[in-house]
Amino acid sequence: LMAIAPTISAMFALLVFGVVDDLKKLTAASKFLVQLLVVIPFVLLTDIRIHSLYGLMGFYDLQGIASIVISIFFFVFMINAY
């Protein structure tokens, strides 16, 4: 239940930035920076992280910083996948 406010805040921030991007055509670097500024607090505040890769490339359980870094990479990747 505590993950609702940061989740809605992150979605709203990305929505607003997307509208600004549509109106002003921002650079790729600024888009990437904003995505990181939204995703990093989201991962840290909600603890919604990837805890295991289930044997992908020989990695199973991810601990601490590895879990956070992989999760941030995954979220930014998914934002840009479309």
Side-chain angles (χ1 to χ4, degrees), residues 17 21 25-37 76 80:
F17 190 72
D21 179 41
K25 294 298 178 199
L26 302 171
T27 65
S30 64
K31 293 178 197 177
F32 184 68
L33 179 64
V34 168
Q35 290 169 2
L36 285 176
L37 290 174
V76 172
N80 289 294

Side-chain angles (χ1 to χ4, degrees), residues 33-72:
L33 179 64
V34 168
Q35 290 169 2
L36 285 176
L37 290 174
V38 169
V39 169
I40 290 171
F42 172 76
V43 169
L44 295 176
L45 292 174
T46 62
D47 200 38
I48 297 175
R49 297 185 287 151
I50 298 171
H51 294 281
S52 176
L53 293 179
Y54 299 99
L56 181 67
M57 298 183 294
F59 294 102
Y60 288 90
D61 291 332
L62 299 173
Q63 301 296 321
I65 194 75
S67 173
I68 292 169
V69 170
I70 295 290
S71 299
I72 291 168

